[in-house]
Amino acid sequence: MTDTLLETAPLAVDEASADRLFRHARSTSQWTGAEVTDAQLQAAWDLAKLGPTAMNTLPLRLLVVRSPEAKQRLVEHMGGGNKAKVEAAPVSLVLAADPAFHEHLDELFPVYPGIREQLAPAAEVREQMARKNALLQAGYLIVALRAAGLAAGPMDGMDADGIDREFFAESGWRSLMVVNVGEADGEGSPHPRGPRLDLEQVSRTL
Amino acid sequence: MTDTLLETAPLAVDEASADRLFRHARSTSQWTGAEVTDAQLQAAWDLAKLGPTAMNTLPLRLLVVRSPEAKQRLVEHMGGGNKAKVEAAPVSLVLAADPAFHEHLDELFPVYPGIREQLAPAAEVREQMARKNALLQAGYLIVALRAAGLAAGPMDGMDADGIDREFFAESGWRSLMVVNVGEADGEGSPHPRGPRLDLEQVSRTL
């Protein structure tokens, strides 16, 4: 958004990967209709799960919404224009945070024995840790879906509490966002990409 | 972490990129000492900035901590073992959320005229939106730093309020985490990688 000519270092990945993961990728709402296979979601997760989280907590959870019945249950809780987007997408993922992540920590973070028991009574702390680290993982997942050849259309406009009551009453998961997934038709979006803030607009150096 | 043999689809990026961005990347604490150039940070940001955020809000902000004096100011607010990690890293980035992101929305999100004015009095809503979307961007940035050939060592153990008072009293930015950045020495970590949760452990399909 500025005219400054800034020196930029060469990348350590090839141009095609940089294009696919970032430069050509768009928040997608236009799909070819090609099926999203479990094997594709598996490939994406096998990359995304490797991204770092605090104390290896890995609190991100996914509800994979495929069937027309489940799609309609989700649509009820989406905001205006997002209802049609869920209906049009081959698959919609509800990304959620699991405040009960601590139950896995004996296995996931053995270097800190007792952390599971220490966190058990701290529900508020767990909720905050779960949301924070699951959002970080959501960033990894969106890139990883693209690495698996899929396009992603993340959406915020929804009744999160309604979704939690509808789908997560038993698990206690907390919905964060919905990400539509499929094969992009052309650019995948009817709109031009929005402008971005440049490094000098978002950073200070000391 | 299970013995299930799952079908996995081929990736749409080359193996070297998948290795660099996810499979071989570690939360790094061991560095060669090679300098991190502004051009490298620029290359990383030029990818990370393209990741999607709600209403193109782009609330992530970066404090680039380079000088020994600034490093010492930051070290004061880091938890126990993280003090030495900040001291050892070529550069430490304080990742922060800017609750005043709305001031850019006339430019960033022109399809919704008036959103800047609508959000102006809603400080609590802005704070939540800023944190949520900045964390998502933190996920993009960690991957993008790796794409620029850098290693990242994200850390949570810090006095966030202390950092905000020390560095962000004027800007109102809210610190989220610190990410050490540099060139990894070997694997970059003295520890083996922790286990991860597999897709069937974190997902349900409807």
Side-chain angles (χ1 to χ4, degrees):
Chain A
M1 292 168 57
T2 66
D3 296 310
T4 322
L5 199 63
L6 291 155
E7 195 195 351
T8 302
L11 293 178
V13 296
D14 66 329
E15 296 295 308
S17 296
D19 287 349
R20 178 174 289 276
L21 301 180
F22 291 104
R23 293 178 189 147
H24 294 176
R26 299 291 310 280
S27 284
T28 299
S29 60
Q30 297 178 324
W31 312 95
T32 62
E35 191 194 357
V36 174
T37 66
D38 287 339
Q40 285 175 304
L41 296 179
Q42 182 72 47
W45 181 254
D46 283 346
L47 296 181
K49 72 180 181 185
L50 299 174
T53 53
M55 297 198 307
N56 203 27
T57 42
L58 296 163
L60 181 64
R61 302 292 179 266
L62 309 178
L63 181 68
V64 183
V65 181
R66 280 189 181 283
S67 72
E69 296 73 21
K71 277 286 191 81
Q72 276 313 306
R73 288 172 61 194
L74 178 57
V75 161
E76 292 300 313
H77 304 283
M78 300 304 297
N82 290 341
K83 292 180 186 289
K85 289 184 181 172
V86 164
E87 284 172 339
V91 165
S92 298
L93 304 178
V94 181
L95 271 53
D98 185 1
F101 66 85
H102 64 298
E103 292 172 3
H104 298 279
L105 288 185
D106 286 345
E107 190 173 12
L108 295 177
F109 202 59
V111 298
Y112 192 155
I115 182 65
R116 179 171 59 82
E117 293 80 356
Q118 194 176 318
L119 284 170
E124 182 61 33
V125 170
R126 285 191 283 105
E127 171 113 13
Q128 284 182 25
M129 288 178 70
R131 285 185 184 274
K132 179 173 186 173
N133 288 281
L135 285 165
L136 195 57
Q137 286 187 280
Y140 306 144
L141 180 63
I142 288 170
V143 179
L145 287 164
R146 295 167 173 175
L150 296 164
M155 301 183 301
D156 238 6
M158 64 190 206
D159 172 7
D161 291 337
I163 290 177
D164 294 352
R165 281 191 300 271
E166 180 78 36
F167 295 108
F168 305 142
E170 209 165 316
S171 65
W173 297 357
R174 306 268 197 250
S175 58
L176 300 169
M177 68 184 74
V178 171
V179 179
N180 291 322
V181 176
E183 183 179 88
D185 188 12
E187 275 196 48
S189 172
H191 314 293
R193 187 202 286 280
R196 294 299 195 267
L197 298 173
D198 287 325
L199 184 58
E200 71 265 31
Q201 295 177 284
V202 301
S203 70
R204 290 168 49 209
T205 299
L206 291 179
Chain B
M1 292 167 57
T2 67
D3 297 309
T4 323
L5 198 63
L6 291 154
E7 196 194 353
T8 303
L11 294 178
V13 296
D14 65 331
E15 297 294 309
S17 296
D19 287 347
R20 178 174 288 277
L21 300 180
F22 292 103
R23 292 178 188 147
H24 293 177
R26 299 290 311 280
S27 284
T28 299
S29 60
Q30 297 178 323
W31 313 95
T32 62
E35 191 193 357
V36 174
T37 66
D38 286 340
Q40 284 175 304
L41 296 178
Q42 182 71 47
W45 181 253
D46 283 347
L47 296 180
K49 72 181 181 184
L50 299 174
T53 53
M55 299 197 306
N56 203 26
T57 41
L58 295 165
L60 182 64
R61 301 292 179 266
L62 310 178
L63 180 68
V64 182
V65 181
R66 280 190 181 284
S67 71
E69 296 72 22
K71 278 286 191 79
Q72 277 312 307
R73 288 173 61 194
L74 178 56
V75 161
E76 292 300 312
H77 303 283
M78 300 305 296
N82 290 340
K83 292 180 186 288
K85 289 183 180 172
V86 164
E87 284 173 339
V91 165
S92 299
L93 303 178
V94 180
L95 272 53
D98 184 2
F101 66 85
H102 64 297
E103 291 171 4
H104 298 278
L105 288 184
D106 287 345
E107 189 174 11
L108 295 178
F109 202 59
V111 299
Y112 192 156
I115 182 65
R116 178 171 60 80
E117 293 80 355
Q118 195 177 316
L119 283 171
E124 182 62 33
V125 171
R126 285 191 283 105
E127 171 113 12
Q128 285 182 24
M129 290 178 68
R131 284 184 185 272
K132 178 174 186 173
N133 287 282
L135 285 165
L136 195 57
Q137 286 186 282
Y140 307 143
L141 180 63
I142 287 170
V143 179
L145 287 164
R146 294 167 174 177
L150 296 163
M155 302 182 301
D156 239 5
M158 61 191 209
D159 172 7
D161 291 338
I163 291 177
D164 294 353
R165 281 191 301 271
E166 179 78 37
F167 294 109
F168 304 143
E170 208 165 316
S171 65
W173 296 358
R174 305 268 196 248
S175 57
L176 300 170
M177 68 185 72
V178 171
V179 179
N180 291 323
V181 176
E183 183 179 87
D185 188 11
E187 276 195 46
S189 172
H191 314 292
R193 187 203 286 280
R196 294 298 196 265
L197 298 174
D198 286 325
L199 184 59
E200 71 265 31
Q201 296 178 284
V202 301
S203 69
R204 290 169 48 211
T205 300
L206 291 179

